[in-house]
Amino acid sequence: MTTRRYFIALGAAAAFVKAVKPAFAQKTIAGKEKLIVRSFHPEDLETPVELFNSFITPNDLFYVRHHLGAPGTESTNWKLDVSGLVSSPQSFALEDVRRFPRASVTVTLECAGNGRAFFDPAVAGIQWEKGAVGTARWTGARLADILNKAGIKSETKYVSFDGADKGFAKIPDFIRNLPLSKAMHPDTIIAYEMNGVPIPPLHGFPLRLIVPGWEGAYSVKWLEKIAALDAEHDGFFVKTAYRYPTRRVMPGATVDAKDMAPLTGLVVKSLITSPKDKASARTGTSVLVTGFAWAGEDEIAKVDISVDGGSTWMEAALGREHERYSWRQFSREIKFPAAGYYTVMSRATDQKGRMQPIEPAWNPSGYLWNAIDKVRVNVEAA
Ligand SMILES: Nc1nc2c(c(=O)[nH]1)N[C@H]1C(S)=C(S)[C@@H](COP(=O)(O)O)O[C@H]1N2
Ligand SMILES: [Mo]
């Protein structure tokens, strides 16, 4: 299917949801009442930024992103099959997966389309603003242990992952893959716990892949099938979706398939969680500017704050809690010099020296929005 047909299918699905919505009169999704609903079916839910106030995002506040909808996976006789270029194909029961050494990793997961709503000109797809991101501690078995048990053959170059959600109408099955090196990395796991409890159904119960530092679509939920391959998987969600142009492109221009490469790691980014956009403050009293910054596989080196449109910057303090693939809290007390309307900006730099841009590159699918963040504050005389 072409990208265009895919988006027409998405558009038709959205129109259908609009048409039937009044009949359901549904406003929230159970267990996720505080989230912004971008779509009911499939469930696409965004966290309001002011609710991010802890290093670990609680499960009930964690964003949800589905292409096809949650499949209903409460059954206890789950099987995880490993096939393809392996010397002994496996079918693991949940107990078998739990018997491998436990591995935990704290990961900031972010949808590649987070911030899509800010691209100009607009790009088709879910109009995520700032909250398709969250941090959780995931526990499970190392993917490498599972693959080694099956005996990966030397021709293997990619490993593919298929969850229990199946293609529907014109949307193809959601199958993703990883190059062998990332698949065998000791931090890549098949998780069965999210923040100390069995993974909730909307987040992939009973098993999901966790690919630390890479855009969220690699972390396949309801994981059922793994296959070792000698080439990239040829399905829509590998060959067409989640690709980014290798050069800057003009909006509307056709981009050749050979000029599109798969997305991998997340980019450097920051998010101001307080004050809220359009908040009020008073002169003379200080305001705590706080938020989170992350950089995929890299760690944050510093975050700077500006209240004068980026002419001057002040370094923020970084929070104590941080791990290799997790965000880091930042904060800085600001005293506004005079009454007036201010834009407060945050700009993160990572340890490789990557810095957030003023203007992220426009791209056809609206991925990797990471502009310097900003909120507006109205300061009144005390
Ligand atoms: N099986 C399956 N896995 C999936 C998806 C999906 O639609 N089906 N969506 C992916 C995308 S695009 C993202 S951003 C993350 C979101 O994970 P979350 O819903 O737990 O936040 O799951 C990924 N895993
Ligand atoms: Mo995503």
Side-chain angles (χ1 to χ4, degrees):
M1 184 189 305
T2 61
T3 314
R4 196 179 140 69
R5 277 174 57 209
Y6 172 69
F7 287 119
I8 290 171
L10 281 185
F16 171 76
V17 169
K18 252 196 192 133
V20 297
K21 201 171 137 192
F24 297 146
Q26 187 187 10
K27 290 206 169 57
T28 58
I29 285 175
K32 294 284 187 183
E33 288 78 3
K34 291 181 182 148
L35 302 197
I36 303 159
V37 179
R38 298 270 173 231
S39 157
F40 279 98
H41 195 88
E43 303 89 342
D44 287 301
L45 314 172
E46 169 166 355
T47 313
V49 289
E50 65 273 16
L51 299 185
F52 289 120
N53 52 27
S54 52
F55 176 67
I56 295 291
T57 311
N59 292 355
D60 63 337
L61 296 182
F62 208 98
Y63 84 98
V64 176
R65 200 301 181 240
H66 294 155
H67 287 273
L68 298 147
T73 50
E74 284 72 22
S75 132
T76 48
N77 51 11
W78 192 263
K79 284 278 187 288
L80 174 64
D81 292 334
V82 184
S83 64
L85 298 169
V86 294
S87 51
S88 80
Q90 303 281 321
S91 183
F92 296 106
L94 286 182
E95 310 85 81
D96 303 328
V97 176
R98 285 204 192 90
R99 242 175 259 130
F100 285 96
R102 277 167 74 87
S104 291
V105 58
T106 304
V107 173
T108 296
L109 198 69
E110 185 186 19
C111 182
N114 194 25
R116 179 178 291 128
F118 306 121
F119 279 102
D120 178 17
V123 171
I126 300 281
Q127 295 299 296
W128 300 110
E129 293 182 6
K130 297 180 180 182
V133 60
T135 299
R137 185 152 182 84
W138 306 91
T139 300
R142 287 193 180 85
L143 176 60
D145 289 348
I146 302 262
L147 293 174
N148 286 335
K149 177 93 187 192
I152 290 283
K153 294 191 177 162
S154 59
E155 314 90 272
T156 303
K157 293 203 172 68
Y158 289 87
V159 181
S160 68
F161 305 90
D162 189 2
D165 48 347
K166 294 284 161 269
F168 167 78
K170 285 187 173 156
I171 306 176
D173 196 0
F174 187 78
I175 301 173
R176 295 279 293 154
N177 73 191
L178 280 178
L180 188 64
S181 57
K182 188 70 173 172
M184 295 304 279
H185 193 286
D187 294 332
T188 300
I189 66 170
I190 296 177
Y192 39 77
E193 282 173 22
M194 177 182 188
N195 293 331
V197 297
I199 299 178
L202 287 172
H203 295 291
F205 179 87
L207 297 176
R208 89 176 286 177
L209 187 65
I210 290 293
V211 181
W214 285 26
E215 56 89 7
Y218 282 98
S219 293
V220 175
K221 307 197 250 194
W222 316 293
L223 185 62
E224 270 187 334
K225 286 183 205 139
I226 299 178
L229 311 173
D230 61 3
E232 241 182 2
H233 185 265
D234 64 2
F236 173 80
F237 286 104
V238 170
K239 283 278 148 96
T240 305
Y242 298 108
R243 289 190 173 241
Y244 191 91
T246 52
R247 56 180 174 86
R248 297 210 167 215
V249 299
M250 192 172 77
T254 12
V255 189
D256 229 58
K258 70 163 176 34
D259 294 330
M260 299 290 279
L263 292 172
T264 55
L266 292 170
V267 290
V268 63
K269 187 160 175 181
S270 67
L271 175 64
I272 298 169
T273 57
S274 185
K276 254 176 100 150
D277 189 32
K278 298 185 184 158
S280 301
R282 295 213 166 270
T283 51
T285 44
S286 56
V287 172
L288 185 70
V289 175
T290 184
F292 292 91
W294 62 96
E297 291 179 295
D298 198 11
E299 286 199 63
I300 290 298
K302 66 172 185 145
V303 177
D304 295 304
I305 306 292
S306 175
V307 295
D308 59 5
S311 295
T312 59
W313 294 90
M314 301 165 274
E315 201 166 335
L318 297 181
R320 197 175 32 83
E321 290 172 289
H322 64 105
E323 287 188 40
R324 161 130 192 231
Y325 308 101
S326 75
W327 62 17
R328 193 153 181 187
Q329 197 159 25
F330 62 86
S331 58
R332 169 93 198 192
E333 299 262 4
I334 299 287
K335 252 192 192 149
F336 292 96
Y341 192 62
Y342 290 82
T343 300
V344 178
M345 298 171 148
S346 66
R347 183 187 69 187
T349 306
D350 72 9
Q351 293 184 354
K352 288 195 185 112
R354 297 186 301 175
M355 186 189 274
Q356 282 185 268
I358 295 167
E359 181 79 1
W362 189 94
N363 64 97
S365 299
Y367 294 138
L368 305 184
W369 173 267
N370 71 331
I372 291 171
D373 198 29
K374 54 186 177 196
V375 295
R376 293 152 293 184
V377 179
N378 188 31
V379 180
E380 289 155 320

